[in-house]
Each structure stands twice: as structure tokens, then as C-alpha cells.
Amino acid sequence: MENQKLNKKNKLLAYVFMPLYMFGLFIVVYTVALLASGRPYDLMSIIFFILVICFICYIAGPILKGFQFQHIYVVNEHLSLVQKLKKFKGIYIMLGSVSVVTALLFGLT
């Protein structure tokens, strides 16, 4: 399993879809939280979260073997995106909730 590489479809899912999913959730919830608190956008919060996304998606997953990266994208490479979402919904919910909680913390405090 260590010697297997990601195919193009799974590279796209792991390195493009996952960061966009997390960033999209963050921006939507952050905007709503800022509108609720009546404050302007803080560029440092957005930059910090982009760094967090880069760490999670590009370092913690493939290099540090976090959140079952190999199992999702290498072992089950034949599954479609919908099948991966159904089978590994806990991981996707956890990563989405990290985005939501971070956006609420940055937006309301």
C-alpha cells in the first residue's frame, strides 16, 4: 500500500476538491457570522485558515497519514466521489465541522 500512487481522479479529489470544500464552507459561515456581528472582513483570519487547509490537505493527510488518507484515496481509488462520501462520511463531516467551527470562532470573536 505504501508503494501505490494516486491516480489523476483521486489527486483531483484530494488536492483540489477537499480544500475547496473546506474553504467554501469556511467562507459561507464566516460571512454569515460577520454579518451577524456587524464586523468587516479580517484578511488575517482568511489567510490563517488557508494555511490550516494547506496543512490538513497537503501535509497531515498524505505525509503524516492523517484522517485515513491512504484508505480513502489509494486503497479505494475505484470508488466514485458519491460512493466515497457515503463510505467515509465521518471524515468529510469532521473536516467540514472544522471549517464551520473555525469560521464561527473567527467571525464571532
Side-chain angles (χ1 to χ4, degrees):
M1 181 168 36
E2 285 295 321
N3 298 342
Q4 292 180 345
K5 300 288 184 189
L6 289 172
N7 61 19
K8 288 183 180 185
K9 179 186 86 169
N10 285 317
K11 282 183 183 179
L12 184 69
L13 290 175
Y15 299 127
V16 176
F17 170 73
M18 182 56 66
L20 286 177
Y21 163 72
M22 292 178 70
F23 188 69
L25 279 175
F26 175 80
I27 286 297
V28 169
V29 175
Y30 184 62
T31 301
V32 170
L34 287 178
L35 289 173
S37 66
R39 296 182 326 150
Y41 275 98
D42 181 19
L43 189 60
M44 289 305 295
S45 297
I46 295 172
I47 291 171
F48 176 74
F49 191 72
I50 289 172
L51 292 174
V52 168
I53 290 174
C54 289
F55 175 76
I56 290 173
C57 293
Y58 302 119
I59 297 173
I63 296 172
L64 300 177
K65 310 282 188 273
F67 68 86
Q68 299 179 343
F69 182 86
Q70 291 285 355
H71 193 65
I72 296 171
Y73 297 112
V74 176
V75 175
N76 292 304
E77 68 182 358
H78 61 282
L79 296 178
S80 69
L81 175 61
V82 174
Q83 291 171 328
K84 285 181 191 211
L85 288 173
K86 287 179 182 176
K87 187 171 183 177
F88 301 104
K89 62 183 150 197
I91 299 297
Y92 289 103
I93 289 171
M94 187 253 328
L95 291 173
S97 64
V98 166
S99 301
V100 170
V101 168
T102 307
L104 287 173
L105 287 175
F106 287 167
L108 297 176
T109 57

